[in-house]
Amino acid sequence: MRKLLLISFFALSSSVLLAQGLNYYLPDSVQYNPAIPKPKDIIYHEVGEWHVTHDRLVNYMQAVAKAAPERIKLENMGLTYEGRPQVLLIITSPKNHQNLEAIRQQHLQLSDPSRSASVNIDNMPIVVYIGHSIHGNEPSGSNASLVSAYYLAAAQGVQIDALLDNTVILFDPSFNPDGLQRFSTWANQHKSKNLVTDVSSREFNEVWPGGRFNHYWFDLNRDWLPAVHVESQNRLKWFHDWKPNVLTDHHEQGSNATFFFQPGVPSRVNPLTPARNQELTDKMGKFHAAYLDRIGSLYFTKENYDDFYYGKGSTYPDINGGIGILFEQASSRGHAQQTSNGILRFPFTIRNQFVTTLSTLEAARNLRKDFLSFQRDFYKSAAGEATAATTKAYVFGDAADKTKTATFITMLRRHGIDIYQMANNLKADGVNFEKGSAYIVPSNQSQHRVIRAIFDKTLTYTDSLFYDITAWTMPLAFGLPYAELGAAQFNTDLLGSKLTETPKNTSANLTRSAYAYLLEWSEFNAPAALYELQNAGVNTRVATNPFQMNINGANKSFRYGTLLVPVGIQTMASDKVFEIIKGISEKYGLLFHSIVSGNVSAGSDLGSSRFVAVTKPSIATIAGQGVTATDAGELWHLLDQRFNIPMSHLEPSMFNRIDIGKYNTIILVGGSYNELNKDKLKTWVQGGGNLIVMEEAINWAVQSGLSTVTFKRAKPYLDSTGNATLPYVDKEQLEGSQQVRGAIFRAEADLTHPLAYGYTQPYVSLFKANKVFMERSKNAFQTPFVYRGNPLQSGWVSRQNADAVRNSAAVVVNGLGSGRVISIADNPNFRAFWLGGTKLMMNAIFFGRIIDTGSGGAEE
């Protein structure tokens, strides 16, 4: 009967719904302040009539904040990549606004076990963060924020007064301004006066990459923990300034679904999340159910979605003393779409999101002391776990790459983690950690569970299905040496001063040389420096042999990949060369060595042919339909944001019709490339091009005759005779368990190979989220990275897939005419925080052309 009612309700025309204006959404038992502008007064249309653009959304938030200053204070958290403001409304009662800072400070004391016991929560307001539409093409959340903001500003009466007296609301109308703007433009420009509901119509099928992502095509709902992007960084500052008890994350799902609210699948909760968290989530769910029942909306819970990866908005609060709540509304995608439940109209989706905002606030008010007590108990129990834990501290740092170490420190500090300098040198797990370049994180601190989420490896799971990745051990991702310290190794004498800011990687004073300069390739910013040198017209060479020479009176070893700038062969004066190098050294915090002689004490002299000229890369990648947008965005972000290297994005149709001779490097990230002219690409490689293919693109390259890679296949999980008889209900679980959702594997590296230049350890941790298992090359010299032995470091993978990964190739190189094809089985740039793969990526770009792909004992 309820489904029939829902279909009947869906069938109401948009004109009928919109004719009711705000009355369609708002509770009819409440009086509203006529001085507060309604959304239509500012955005020029009824809520749900059009998709609100981000600029108009912000205009309305500014308007209600101006009209109701006693209830609302508007803050600008920062700007997105495209310069759009991220606004936050702090909404509470006039009385609370007068004491807002005192309330905030008292609330933060609940997160400090040394002070929380004395905090009286009897009259303390609960802090609720309401967040909307982190995926820009899931717009019902941000459009519902118009209604919610009006209600919270204009509603009058005892009920709203009680709510605001007992609640501080952090109200974020758009988690992803750039994506929301992109999608609203698409949906609005395809709207017909007579709404088209045909799912095949252009309105419901965005062009690539779509509005889901931010400017760099990233899924911001995976970035709460790594915090790579400015939107996440801006938001996290406010999150930790307040430590909200509840955070809502309003999303959309497939159009044929109904409405989901948490809890999710019980067996897929991260073990670091306390059981009480799920109990309170379930209690809150009763309020959502009651409110949705009241308007006749169907819903479901405890299915499909999980609480495992802490990089999502609905799980990040779970290790910060709060409760994250995921809402998933069936998406109309445009203005009205035909679904299995009837015609799903945009206003209906908005109303469900608004109603669950109200149910969240009502639950928060009623369960206020439960949530505040949970926050206090969360940090108290975390302190107990830290005391009992066998790991007392984590030490990390790379003396050869201080920039990457500093980037890791910045990430830790964004999560409120205390970090200390090392007072003494230390050897742990066979690694020497040096004072001045290594740091210690004691586990016994308030953010103990966050620390474990960042540092721990996980190999034991209660389920084999996952909504997202299964492992993200951050020091492995960053490629940093690190070790866990037990009670026998850790004592407070190891702790130097506590960091109050991220250490600056400053350059040393550079002396002018008339002969040459050297730069070690191990530093993270070395590729940026190399490109800037090349862009300035400076001739550069790379060492394909290690060598030793006297530097400032001491014998120093230089590894494979060291950059050489010979002064005498430049087309500019030595003073100009010095000026350029000095500027680059200061800009990137790099140590250049001034050399007065080409004579070395061991290895190749600086005039040797072992120093090979490096060609300036001219890079293009294929972007468009079939290409994995996040992979393409990660590459774009790496080159553009981290290394200041330009790259052209070519649609397949553009690639097929232009002269591609102006590029010497072409990169194919994961995806399918069936529209690409493979013969044209093959001719380009044969003419000397450097082709880099990753993940599923390797399959296409093999089929197109570009790559000589052969593949291993995972064994079937069913009886190979086909005689197995299994319950149908187990099909989803069994088939899902064979997916590779994301795990970390160690690849052994040949440090003499150009693709491994800059690595200081003979291994690298890579992230596998596919079923591309490459056989090692028949050319004995062209498999520079191999998953040998038992390579799984962290994460879940089925036995069949683990066997396929074992002894497979992570990277294979083959020659094609005068060119090179570099096949990388996995994504070395995963989510832009996998900095351990960055050297591999940049080596492929800069040094791919110098790889000798001779037969190696086998024909190519």
Side-chain angles (χ1 to χ4, degrees):
M1 180 63 181
R2 184 178 292 169
K3 185 170 182 179
L4 293 175
L5 287 172
L6 186 63
I7 292 174
S8 175
F9 194 83
F10 276 3
L12 293 175
S13 70
S14 292
S15 60
V16 171
L17 300 181
L18 293 170
Q20 300 177 51
L22 283 178
N23 292 334
Y24 169 63
Y25 304 105
L26 294 171
D28 56 11
S29 58
V30 178
Q31 296 295 314
Y32 296 93
N33 182 352
I36 304 301
K38 295 179 179 179
K40 186 179 180 180
D41 299 331
I42 306 299
I43 67 172
Y44 308 113
H45 60 80
E46 294 289 358
V47 175
E49 181 181 7
W50 296 88
H51 286 249
V52 71
T53 58
H54 184 261
D55 55 331
R56 291 187 179 185
L57 179 68
V58 170
N59 289 345
Y60 185 68
M61 297 303 150
Q62 292 171 335
V64 292
K66 183 177 180 181
E70 72 285 354
R71 288 189 181 181
I72 301 176
K73 180 182 181 182
L74 186 143
E75 299 281 0
N76 190 342
M77 294 186 286
L79 300 176
T80 68
Y81 288 113
E82 295 178 13
R84 293 190 174 86
Q86 290 179 262
V87 298
L88 185 75
L89 280 63
I90 302 177
I91 307 173
T92 190
S93 68
K95 176 186 67 175
N96 288 341
H97 268 298
Q98 292 172 8
N99 300 287
L100 197 61
E101 180 59 18
I103 290 172
R104 186 182 74 85
Q105 292 291 349
Q106 186 185 39
H107 184 80
L108 290 177
Q109 290 180 30
L110 293 177
S111 303
D112 183 353
S114 68
R115 297 189 294 166
S116 62
S118 62
V119 177
N120 186 342
I121 64 171
D122 288 346
N123 298 305
M124 179 186 287
I126 185 173
V127 180
V128 180
Y129 197 123
I130 306 291
H132 304 87
S133 300
I134 202 163
H135 296 143
N137 63 357
E138 298 177 3
S140 57
S142 285
N143 283 265
S145 76
L146 295 162
V147 186
S148 301
Y150 174 77
Y151 174 83
L152 292 169
Q156 296 178 314
V158 175
Q159 187 173 359
I160 188 70
D161 289 344
L163 172 66
L164 296 179
D165 276 343
N166 288 282
T167 313
V168 174
I169 303 165
L170 307 178
F171 190 85
D172 191 334
S174 174
F175 276 150
N176 180 5
D178 295 346
L180 181 72
Q181 186 74 16
R182 191 182 314 129
F183 178 74
S184 62
T185 301
W186 177 267
N188 290 336
Q189 73 183 22
H190 291 96
K191 179 188 176 186
S192 299
K193 181 182 71 172
N194 300 292
L195 297 184
V196 175
T197 63
D198 177 11
V199 68
S200 301
S201 186
R202 186 172 166 85
E203 180 179 356
F204 310 110
N205 297 278
E206 302 168 79
V207 295
W208 190 97
R212 179 182 178 91
F213 311 115
N214 78 341
H215 174 78
Y216 283 101
W217 310 334
F218 271 74
D219 186 335
L220 290 176
N221 197 40
R222 305 298 185 268
D223 195 45
W224 285 76
L225 195 63
V228 170
H229 296 283
V230 293
E231 297 93 339
S232 306
Q233 294 164 12
N234 294 337
R235 190 188 321 117
L236 277 175
K237 179 184 181 301
W238 284 90
F239 180 95
H240 286 290
D241 279 350
W242 276 96
K243 296 280 191 185
N245 300 99
V246 177
L247 183 145
T248 64
D249 195 10
H250 292 259
H251 285 254
E252 290 183 357
Q253 58 185 323
S255 300
N256 292 320
T258 56
F259 190 93
F260 168 84
F261 56 83
Q262 284 180 314
V265 179
S267 61
R268 301 177 199 165
V269 177
N270 196 295
L272 292 176
T273 299
R276 181 64 174 156
N277 171 287
Q278 294 296 289
E279 293 168 7
L280 287 172
T281 302
D282 194 50
K283 277 190 174 184
M284 181 170 271
K286 301 297 191 294
F287 287 82
H288 306 320
Y291 272 59
L292 291 169
D293 284 343
R294 199 176 298 168
I295 63 170
S297 287
L298 292 175
Y299 53 84
F300 66 98
T301 187
K302 298 181 181 178
E303 295 178 11
N304 294 4
Y305 301 96
D306 64 30
D307 280 303
F308 194 80
Y309 172 51
Y310 287 124
K312 296 189 297 181
S314 59
T315 47
Y316 183 75
D318 296 346
I319 47 166
N320 284 281
I323 310 291
I325 300 295
L326 172 66
F327 294 126
E328 292 275 357
Q329 164 63 46
S331 179
S332 66
R333 275 296 183 266
H335 294 83
Q337 182 180 153
Q338 186 68 50
T339 76
S340 60
N341 291 315
I343 296 175
L344 177 58
R345 301 185 186 278
F346 190 37
F348 179 83
T349 69
I350 293 170
R351 188 165 81 148
N352 280 346
Q353 300 278 26
F354 168 65
V355 164
T356 47
T357 294
L358 295 186
S359 64
T360 297
L361 294 173
E362 183 66 9
R365 186 176 72 85
N366 281 271
L367 302 172
R368 178 181 62 85
K369 292 182 71 172
D370 289 335
F371 280 107
L372 293 171
S373 295
F374 171 72
Q375 184 177 19
R376 175 161 51 196
D377 294 342
F378 176 93
Y379 286 100
K380 183 180 178 180
S381 64
E385 289 179 10
T387 300
T390 56
T391 298
K392 300 302 180 183
Y394 301 86
V395 59
F396 68 90
D398 190 344
D401 194 346
K402 293 184 178 180
T403 300
K404 193 162 60 176
T405 302
T407 304
F408 188 72
I409 289 171
T410 298
M411 183 271 294
L412 294 176
R413 295 185 68 246
R414 286 197 175 104
H415 301 293
I417 293 170
D418 293 337
I419 310 154
Y420 294 81
Q421 294 179 338
M422 283 184 56
N424 303 295
N425 293 342
L426 173 71
K427 185 171 184 178
D429 287 355
V431 179
N432 291 313
F433 294 96
E434 300 175 6
K435 176 183 176 181
S437 61
Y439 301 85
I440 291 184
V441 175
S443 65
N444 193 0
Q445 52 180 291
S446 62
Q447 291 293 74
H448 170 74
R449 290 189 176 108
V450 181
I451 292 168
R452 288 194 57 192
I454 287 172
F455 281 92
D456 281 4
K457 299 175 185 175
T458 307
L459 293 168
T460 303
Y461 298 84
T462 59
D463 203 328
S464 57
L465 293 187
F466 300 88
Y467 187 77
D468 198 64
I469 62 178
T470 71
W472 54 88
T473 309
M474 289 297 195
L476 294 180
F478 274 66
L480 285 174
Y482 85 110
E484 300 175 357
L485 303 181
Q489 290 176 293
F490 175 71
N491 61 73
T492 55
D493 291 341
L494 283 172
L495 299 180
S497 59
K498 179 179 170 181
L499 295 183
T500 57
E501 61 180 4
T502 299
K504 299 288 192 300
N505 193 16
T506 56
S507 59
N509 291 329
L510 182 68
T511 58
R512 183 181 280 101
S513 172
Y515 192 82
Y517 299 92
L518 293 173
L519 174 64
E520 293 173 276
W521 190 245
S522 56
E523 262 292 343
F524 185 81
N525 283 335
L530 173 56
Y531 187 83
E532 200 154 322
L533 286 167
Q534 293 174 324
N535 210 37
V538 176
N539 184 305
T540 54
R541 299 185 177 188
V542 62
T544 62
N545 252 5
F547 59 97
Q548 296 176 8
M549 64 188 314
N550 186 284
I551 301 291
N552 298 325
N555 200 43
K556 179 175 174 56
S557 296
F558 290 90
R559 300 183 182 94
Y560 295 96
T562 297
L563 296 180
L564 168 67
V565 179
V567 175
I569 66 172
Q570 305 298 331
T571 59
M572 61 189 77
S574 62
D575 285 351
K576 181 64 175 177
V577 175
F578 172 74
E579 179 184 322
I580 291 170
I581 290 178
K582 185 173 185 293
I584 291 172
S585 173
E586 293 171 352
K587 179 177 180 178
Y588 295 109
L590 294 171
L591 174 63
F592 281 80
H593 299 281
S594 298
I595 306 302
V596 298
S597 170
N599 186 35
V600 300
S601 56
S604 300
D605 290 328
L606 300 192
S608 165
S609 61
R610 296 292 188 175
F611 286 86
V612 179
V614 183
T615 303
K616 176 184 171 183
S618 177
I619 310 167
T621 189
I622 307 302
Q625 202 63 37
V627 178
T628 304
T630 50
D631 288 10
E634 287 151 10
L635 177 63
W636 179 20
H637 178 272
L638 177 75
L639 296 178
D640 193 40
Q641 284 289 323
R642 297 201 187 275
F643 296 130
N644 299 315
I645 298 176
M647 176 180 67
S648 298
H649 302 102
L650 304 179
E651 293 276 345
S653 58
M654 179 64 70
F655 173 92
N656 291 343
R657 70 172 181 263
I658 66 169
D659 176 10
I660 60 173
K662 57 186 172 182
Y663 309 110
N664 56 30
T665 301
I666 293 177
I667 304 172
L668 306 185
V669 300
S672 74
Y673 294 86
N674 295 331
E675 302 303 315
L676 207 62
N677 186 331
K678 61 185 179 183
D679 293 328
K680 182 176 184 179
L681 182 59
K682 188 173 184 178
T683 299
W684 174 85
V685 176
Q686 289 171 328
N690 183 36
L691 177 63
I692 304 166
V693 291
M694 296 185 284
E695 299 190 276
E696 298 84 0
I698 300 172
N699 296 317
W700 179 85
V702 170
Q703 294 165 9
S704 301
L706 295 161
S707 173
T708 60
V709 163
T710 57
F711 297 101
K712 299 175 68 177
R713 302 294 178 189
K715 295 179 180 178
Y717 67 94
L718 291 176
D719 182 350
S720 60
T721 65
N723 294 326
T725 301
L726 299 171
Y728 179 76
V729 72
D730 293 341
K731 182 175 185 292
E732 179 185 7
Q733 184 76 28
L734 285 170
E735 292 183 348
S737 70
Q738 297 305 306
Q739 300 304 310
V740 183
R741 298 297 297 178
I744 306 171
F745 295 86
R746 172 180 281 191
E748 293 187 10
D750 172 10
L751 297 183
T752 71
H753 196 283
L755 293 183
Y757 287 175
Y759 287 109
T760 58
Q761 301 293 330
Y763 48 79
V764 59
S765 297
L766 295 173
F767 187 84
K768 177 169 278 295
N770 61 45
K771 300 181 79 170
V772 177
F773 310 120
M774 299 191 299
E775 297 278 9
R776 285 172 288 175
S777 173
K778 293 179 180 179
N779 183 323
F781 305 112
Q782 299 309 336
T783 310
F785 294 84
V786 180
Y787 293 124
R788 295 190 192 279
N790 184 22
L792 180 64
Q793 292 180 286
S794 186
W796 195 92
V797 66
S798 71
R799 175 176 53 80
Q800 293 84 357
N801 288 324
D803 289 343
V805 173
R806 192 174 292 116
N807 295 317
S808 68
V811 181
V812 170
V813 185
N814 68 270
L816 184 63
S818 299
R820 308 287 180 270
V821 180
I822 301 170
S823 300
I824 306 174
D826 304 301
N827 180 4
N829 315 310
F830 181 69
R831 291 184 182 171
F833 70 85
W834 215 269
L835 303 188
T838 300
K839 274 288 184 283
L840 166 59
M841 188 73 240
M842 301 314 296
N843 289 343
I845 290 172
F846 280 107
F847 306 140
R849 280 169 295 280
I850 73 170
I851 299 172
D852 179 0
T853 57
S855 66
E859 293 297 326
E860 283 285 343

